[in-house]
C-alpha cells in the first residue's frame, strides 16, 4: 500500500493549524506569481519594434529545446506556439500528447521519461488542469530521476527544480488556475478498480510564465465553460474566506469574482464572445493566485472532489454546487464574505445574515443561468443511491487531503449532514459549527 504525504499523522492532525499559522501577526508573507502575459496575440511569429516575452524566454534557453506536454484534444493548438519559437529563435521541439484526464501516475512517468530523453531547457504545458499538473509532475521526474515524487514527497521536501528546465503554462480552459498555483493533482490506481486523486504542493511547482491566449478557449463547449468557470469562482470565494488570505490575494480574488459573475454567462451563451473569453481566462488566473495564497478551499473542494469521483460529475460543477453550502457552514468563523458582498454591491447595511443570503442567492442565480442545479437531486442522483452511498461518500471526504486544511476540522457525522442538506437543497444551519 502506497503511503502519501497526507497519510502522515502530523499532517492529518495539524493541517488545520499549519494552514492557520499564517494568521500569526508579524510573520513575513511571501507573494509571488508567474510572469503573466495576457491577450489574443501572445505568440507573435514576427519580431516587433521592441524585444518581447518571446525573446525573453528564448534568452533563458541556451539549447533552444522545447518540450510540449499536451493531450489528444489540445495538440491542435500547439502549431502557433511552435511556429513562433521556431521562426524567431530556431527552437526545436518534442511533443508528448498523451496526457489523460486526471493524470494517472503511469502517464506522468512515461511523460517524464520522454522529457529526460529529449533534454529540453523549457517545458510548455498546453491544456487544461490535468495537462498542466501532468507537466509539473513529469518535470520533477526529469529534474530528479531518482526521486519518486508519489511516494517520497512530503511537505518539507525541497525539490530544487530549474536546474535543467523551467515551466511555461498555457491554459486552454478558464478554471483550474493551475497555471498560477503551486499544486498538482494526479490519479492513483489503488487496485480492484478503485482510484484516488492526490495532490502535491510546492512553491517550486509554480510555473515561471503563464501565457493566457483567450483564442485557445473558444472551442470549449458550454457545459465545460460553465464547469471550469464555477471552479474559478469557488477558488476565488474560498481563497478570500480561507485562513491564509492576505490583502494581495483578496484584491485579485474580488476582481475575479466580479468578472466571473459578469462574463461567465456570456461565455456560456456564446463561446466566440471574444471579450467574455478574455475576461474569463484572466479571471481564472486571478482566482488561482487567490486560492493558492488562501491556503484552503475547505469543504467546498473536499466534498466536490469526492462527490465528483463517486458520481462522475465534472470537478467544477461539483465544487460550484457546494459554494453556498460552504459559505453557510463557515459563516461563524469569518466576516470575509462581507468583502465579497461589498464588491458585488449586495451587502445589507444592517444584517450580516441577510448579506450572506444575498450572496448565496446570487450564486444560485448564476447556477440557474448556467442551466445547473443547486442541489444533488438536480444532478440526477437518486435518493436510494444517495442513501446507500452516503457513509462511504462521507468517509472518502473525511480522508480527502483538502479536509485536513479545512478552517475547522470535521467529523464523519458533520459531513453526512452537509451532504444531506445539499441533497435536498436545504440551507445549512448557520450555527452548525458551534453545535
Ligand atoms: Fe478546483
Amino acid at each position: 500500500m502506497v503511503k502519501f504525504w497526507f497519510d502522515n499523522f502530523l499532517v492529518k492532525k495539524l493541517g488545520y493549524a499549519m494552514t492557520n499559522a499564517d494568521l500569526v501577526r508579524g510573520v513575513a508573507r511571501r507573494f509571488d506569481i508567474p510572469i503573466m502575459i495576457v491577450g489574443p496575440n501572445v505568440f507573435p511569429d514576427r519580431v516587433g519594434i521592441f524585444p518581447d516575452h518571446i525573446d525573453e524566454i528564448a534568452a533563458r534557453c541556451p539549447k533552444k529545446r522545447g518540450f510540449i506536454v499536451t493531450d489528444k484534444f489540445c495538440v491542435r493548438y500547439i502549431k502557433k506556439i511552435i511556429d513562433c519559437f521556431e521562426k524567431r529563435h530556431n527552437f526545436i521541439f518534442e511533443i508528448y500528447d498523451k496526457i489523460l484526464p486526471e493524470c494517472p501516475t503511469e502517464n506522468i512517468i512515461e511523460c517524464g521519461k520522454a522529457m529526460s530523453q529529449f533534454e529540453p531547457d523549457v517545458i510548455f504545458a498546453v491544456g487544461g488542469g490535468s495537462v498542466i499538473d501532468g507537466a509539473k509532475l513529469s518535470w520533477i521526474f526529469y529534474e530528479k530521476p531518482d526521486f519518486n515524487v508519489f511516494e517520497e514527497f512530503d511537505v518539507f521536501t525541497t525539490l530544487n527544480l530549474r536546474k535543467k528546465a523551467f515551466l511555461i503554462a498555457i491554459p486552454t480552459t478558464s478554471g483550474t488556475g493551475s497555471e498560477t498555483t503551486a499544486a498538482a493533482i494526479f490519479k492513483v490506481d489503488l487496485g480492484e478498480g478503485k482510484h484516488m486523486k492526490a495532490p502535491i504542493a510546492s512553491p517550486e511547482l509554480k510555473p515561471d510564465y503563464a501565457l493566457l491566449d483567450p483564442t485557445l478557449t473558444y472551442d470549449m463547449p458550454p457545459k465545460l465553460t460553465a464547469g471550469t468557470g464555477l471552479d474559478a469562482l469557488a477558488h476565488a470565494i474560498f481563497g478570500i474566506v480561507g485562513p491564509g488570505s492576505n490583502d494581495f490575494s483578496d484584491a485579485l480574488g474580488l476582481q475575479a469574482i466580479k468578472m466571473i459573475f459578469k462574463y461567465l454567462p456570456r461565455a456560456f451563451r456564446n463561446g466566440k464572445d471574444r471579450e467574455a473569453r478574455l475576461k474569463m481566462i484572466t479571471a481564472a488566473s486571478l482566482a488561482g493566485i487567490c486560492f493558492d495564497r488562501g491556503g484552503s478551499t475547505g469543504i467546498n473542494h473536499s466534498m466536490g472532489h469526492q462527490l465528483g469521483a463517486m458520481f462522475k460529475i465534472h470537478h467544477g460543477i461539483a465544487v460550484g454546487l457546494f459554494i453556498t453550502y460552504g459559505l453557510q457552514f463557515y459563516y461563524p468563523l469569518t466576516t470575509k464574505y462581507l468583502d465579497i458582498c461589498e464588491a458585488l454591491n449586495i451587502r445589507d447595511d444592517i444584517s450580516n445574515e441577510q448579506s450572506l443570503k444575498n450572496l448565496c442567492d446570487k450564486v444560485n442565480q448564476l447556477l440557474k443561468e448556467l442551466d445547473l442545479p443547486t442541489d444533488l437531486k438536480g444532478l440526477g442522483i437518486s435518493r436510494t443511491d444517495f442513501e446507500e452511498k452516503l457513509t462511504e461518500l462521507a468517509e472518502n471526504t473525511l480522508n480527502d487531503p483538502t479536509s485536513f486544511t479545512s478552517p475547522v476540522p470535521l467529523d464523519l457525522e458533520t459531513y453526512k449532514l452537509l451532504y444531506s442538506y445539499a441533497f435536498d437543497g436545504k440551507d445549512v444551519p448557520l450555527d452548525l459549527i458551534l453545535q
Side-chain angles (χ1 to χ4, degrees), residues 231 235 291 301 315 319:
D231 191 23
H235 295 159
F291 104 100
H301 265 62
H315 171 74
V319 300

Side-chain angles (χ1 to χ4, degrees), residues 146 195 318:
D146 298 327
H195 295 90

Side-chain angles (χ1 to χ4, degrees), residues 57-58 60-67 91-92 118-124 139 142-143 163-167:
I57 290 165
R60 285 181 63 173
C61 301
K63 295 189 287 185
K64 305 281 184 285
R65 294 171 77 83
F67 190 93
F91 267 70
I92 53 169
F118 184 69
E119 298 187 342
D121 42 20
V122 57
I123 298 156
F124 296 84
W139 178 34
Y142 170 45
E143 295 266 352
K163 298 283 184 286
K164 297 177 180 173
F166 60 101
L167 178 66

Side-chain angles (χ1 to χ4, degrees), residues 168-189:
I168 297 178
I170 302 168
T172 59
T173 61
S174 300
T176 69
S178 183
E179 67 277 7
T180 63
T181 71
I185 294 172
F186 56 94
K187 187 164 78 174
V188 189
D189 186 347

Side-chain angles (χ1 to χ4, degrees), residues 3 8 10 40 48 81 94 151 172 179 185 197-198 262 294 330 345 352 382 401 420 423 435:
K3 280 273 180 202
N8 182 310
L10 282 175
I81 301 158
E94 177 79 10
E151 297 185 21
T172 59
E179 67 277 7
I185 294 172
K197 280 165 85 169
K262 184 169 179 184
Y330 291 124
N345 243 334
N352 286 357
S382 74
S420 301
F423 184 82
Q435 288 171 17

